[in-house]
């Protein structure tokens, strides 16, 4: 179960990275997802998805993948709990209190 969920989590992660890299940023980025609205030339989708609709699709896809990533992270965390009640604080060795040793008693002073 954990292995399957981990593979799904990795696929979500790689998809999220890909979708974020494809989006156009203000500086250009790797923005491959959009282009000319017309003729279907290099980089365009032939009018099927215009620049604005591609941006909306990528934004929604990013939001969905981000929610799936958070949900799978939480689920993996919950399933990773093995049910043991051990804590890392159990490994800390408590300081040993010094035992009282007998102090030498000075002989009584005679006056």
């Amino acid at each position: 179960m954990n292995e399957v969920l981990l593979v799904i989590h990795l696929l979500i992660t790689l998809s999220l990275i890909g979708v974020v890299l494809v989006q156009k940023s203000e500086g250009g980025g790797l923005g491959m997802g959009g282009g000319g609205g017309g003729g279907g030339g290099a980089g365009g989708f032939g009018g099927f998805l215009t620049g604005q609709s591609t941006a909306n699709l990528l934004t929604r896809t990013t939001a969905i993948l981000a929610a799936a990533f958070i949900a799978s992270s939480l689920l993996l965390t919950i399933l990773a709990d093995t049910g043991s009640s051990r804590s890392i604080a159990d490994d800390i060795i408590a300081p040993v209190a010094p035992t009282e040793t007998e102090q030498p008693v000075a002989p009584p002073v005679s006056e």
Side-chain angles (χ1 to χ4, degrees):
M1 174 72 177
N2 285 345
E3 291 82 12
V4 173
L5 191 57
L6 186 61
V7 169
I8 292 171
H9 182 73
L10 290 175
L11 290 174
I12 291 170
T13 303
L14 293 175
S15 301
L16 185 60
I17 290 170
V19 169
V20 167
L21 287 178
V22 168
Q23 290 182 9
K24 280 190 177 181
S25 66
E26 292 178 13
L30 293 178
M32 295 178 266
F45 290 104
F48 175 64
L49 292 174
T50 61
Q52 184 63 36
S53 64
T54 303
N56 288 339
L57 176 67
L58 290 175
T59 302
R60 286 183 183 160
T61 305
T62 302
I64 292 168
L65 287 173
F69 176 80
I70 292 171
S72 64
S73 296
L74 290 174
L75 192 56
L76 279 170
T77 303
I78 291 169
L79 291 177
D81 181 24
T82 59
S84 68
S85 60
R86 274 194 89 232
S87 170
I88 59 171
D90 295 338
D91 295 335
I92 298 174
I93 299 172
V96 178
T99 59
E100 291 190 32
T101 59
E102 291 188 28
Q103 298 291 332
V105 178
V109 181
S110 59
E111 291 183 43

